[in-house]
Amino acid sequence: MPTLRFPRKTALLPVCLAASFAGSPLMAQEQLEDQSQGSAAEPVELQSVEITASADASADGLTQPYAGEQVARGGRVGILGNRDYMETPFTSTSYTSQLIQDQQARSVSDIVQNDPSVRVARGYGNMQELYVVRGFPLYSDDISYNGLYGLLPRQYVAAEFIERAEVFRGASAFLNGAAPGGTGLGGAINLLPKRAPNESLTRMTFGASSGGQGTVAADLGRRFGEQNQFGVRLNAAKRAGETGVEDEDQTLDMFALGLDYQGDRLRLSADIGHQYHFLDNPRPSVTPNGGIPSAPDADDNFAQPWTYSKEKQTFGTFRAEYDFADSITGWAAAGVRDGEEQNRLSNPRATSDGSTTASRFDNHRKDRVYTGEIGMRFRVQTGTVSHEIVTSAAMHDFEEKNAFTFFGPVIGNIHDPFAAPLPTTVTFPGGDLSDPKRTEQVSTQSLAIADTLGFLDDRLQVTLGARRQGIETRSYAPVTGDRIDRYDAYETTPVAGIVYQLNNDLSVYANYIEGLTKGDTATATANNLPVLNAGTSLAPYVAKQTEIGLKYDGGNLGGSIAVFSTERPFGIVENQVFREGGEQRNRGIELSVFGEPVYGTRLLGGLTLLDAEQRKTLNGANDGNDAIGVPKVQANLGGEWDVPGVQGLTLTSLVIHTGKQYASAGNDLRLPSWTRFDLGARYRMTIDDRDVTLRARLDNATGRDYWASAGGYPGSNYLVLGAPRTLSVSATVDF
């Protein structure tokens, strides 16, 4: 296929989203009015500058924003590199820094809530953000940072780390390698770090939200050298105070330093990040016990006052890319993370009337991750056929130390919360909390090769490839440190994709690709009962996906429609024993739309229809039933409108609809559908030659009380209450 090169001279807007709002439709409108004293019917052409920075250390830089600047024209497609979405036999969406800022996103979940194929849930028994993509879970452990797994804080990732969030829909074992945490069979999320823009950046943001939580953030960027080849980007933020949930306090401290060098042939980048995240009285998930209780008030908190969740994470990455020739490029990347978590939690089981029983769960966990990748890309021509050949080798090594102890009992009621005394009677010990022992080691290694062939002047492109993946898992007893389970497994996961550009506006595509993850590992407990074979790991999972679709690019409005089917085995806990439980087949249709169809009016959203069917279950008991926590309908529609006659004012809205979902494998427990409305506004102005942006956002504007999700961990059906009506306001000043 042809080399995807953007011109060295291009608009300032795509390069400097984080540095300036000068390229927004509103600012363009102001320039037009100043120059022509007429209407702002067409955006003004911005001055061209030379690209000198890239978030991913590639020669071409980031893919350009699409009309409306909320999403980009494409993004990273694993080892295939950056691709325009019209020339890719897969579907993905890359959410830009402008969307992240304008929506006052606090974490990854606030960004991906814009995606109709993604729903946000929670990890099992903890406060971890969990994303359900095409009906399959994706742990925050398994999102990647600039192409590398396992480096980001595992429970919560602050939005201040992120330049772009790329959501890839579908299995991706060939493209990205097996996700080390055991998820990602329905899709992947890759986060890009921030880099210094061409123009000096000094930005401060001050914010507050319901409950009294305050935020202050600094974003500084500079470039140095005769050709601005050296870049430094510094981000720091602090959030503290009560959230919209009563008596739930959050403290967040983050720091990120991004360095880069952009030479003629050599490009280097490095990142160092640290995050401290503390939740006091975090509202827990609820496991139904015989029936589903009605949803409490969304701002109520039924957490015990002695519960908390605390984590500290530090990570670093390095990436290099070198052009050996115009048609040969090599790259290398490496990263390391050191993390520590301490929790005291109490996740209840609730009857239909709201009364609960629970245990006190204390744990202390330490993680260490090493990861790396090297690769080469060749571009050659054989007759009338172009080739882009890519090969890579990757490794990931993860060690977990963990200790936990259960105390009990704890009695409560989610509709009439009251403080229970701190239990001190040990019901299930799991190691020394002051000195946790090694409990799991996971190592992966892989080799991949692919060729993208271009025919008919590259209007027809065919991608063929395979990845040979090895997964080594060791499980250890938390009390003694003795090894209790191990396996070494190797799988070859192929890929075949084809995309044909019917004309400038339409592309049709199809793919076959597989997903691969390590098998699930039995947790210490399930449904508040000990698991008798805790620590046992199932064999690696292979998911098989087929997909066909159509993509549209009308210049100002783009979109796609896809039909897909994915199959994967799953594990369950039965009679307190963890084992393989059958197969889940997710079939669906996705429709997405984005852009600025009318100047000053932007749209972003879509529709996902899912049929998640259980098959091959024990004795056929649940064959044909819907999978836990997968709604049949997911719909999103976001809109922005620049108010005519009020220069700088934009009104925004977002509607999220999630259909009914089952909370039991037998489909006898069901959550009702829910719809959430978010409203917002922003106003941009200049004060003393400084750009100032004021933003306000009201989430869950109608104050809906609802259970947002069910489950997320295999065989579990815990419920997470939706967030309350929350008002967030902020002021951003560029100095």
Side-chain angles (χ1 to χ4, degrees), residues 185-371:
L185 296 179
I189 296 176
N190 180 55
L191 305 181
L192 291 180
K194 295 180 177 181
R195 293 285 175 260
N198 286 350
E199 294 187 349
S200 295
L201 170 66
T202 303
R203 173 174 294 159
M204 293 294 297
T205 298
F206 306 90
S209 60
S210 300
Q213 184 173 104
T215 300
V216 59
D219 189 356
L220 309 175
R222 296 290 187 274
R223 300 208 68 81
F224 306 94
E226 293 183 359
Q227 298 178 338
N228 283 342
Q229 64 267 42
F230 298 98
V232 179
R233 184 78 174 266
L234 173 66
N235 278 264
K238 183 176 183 63
R239 290 199 284 275
E242 189 172 313
T243 70
V245 177
E246 185 178 358
D247 296 328
E248 179 183 82
D249 283 3
Q250 179 190 43
T251 300
L252 175 92
D253 298 311
M254 66 78 58
F255 167 89
L257 177 65
L259 307 173
D260 71 275
Y261 168 79
Q262 303 289 316
D264 291 336
R265 288 187 176 273
L266 176 65
R267 295 164 296 278
L268 305 173
S269 68
D271 297 277
I272 299 173
H274 175 79
Q275 177 178 284
Y276 169 80
H277 188 222
F278 180 79
L279 286 171
D280 192 24
N281 298 342
R283 185 167 66 189
S285 57
V286 177
T287 299
N289 184 16
I292 295 179
S294 60
D297 290 345
D299 57 358
D300 281 355
N301 193 354
F302 38 83
Q304 292 299 328
W306 34 262
T307 58
Y308 67 88
S309 176
K310 178 173 64 175
E311 66 162 347
K312 294 184 295 182
Q313 308 282 344
T314 302
F315 63 91
T317 70
F318 174 80
R319 180 174 290 270
E321 187 174 280
Y322 184 76
D323 298 329
F324 294 95
D326 290 343
S327 59
I328 303 176
T329 299
W331 77 87
V336 61
R337 173 174 67 88
D338 187 85
E340 183 175 8
E341 302 171 31
Q342 291 178 292
N343 301 284
R344 176 177 292 162
L345 302 172
S346 183
N347 289 54
R349 290 172 55 86
T351 61
S352 57
D353 65 2
S355 58
T356 64
T357 57
S359 297
R360 165 189 163 191
F361 170 72
D362 290 12
N363 88 297
H364 185 187
R365 170 173 170 155
K366 296 181 178 181
D367 292 345
R368 179 64 62 87
V369 173
Y370 300 97
T371 183

Side-chain angles (χ1 to χ4, degrees), residues 427-450:
T427 58
F428 191 81
D432 184 354
L433 291 170
S434 64
D435 183 24
K437 291 183 171 55
R438 179 177 56 185
T439 54
E440 186 176 33
Q441 282 184 299
V442 179
S443 298
T444 66
Q445 313 86 32
S446 67
L447 294 171
I449 186 169

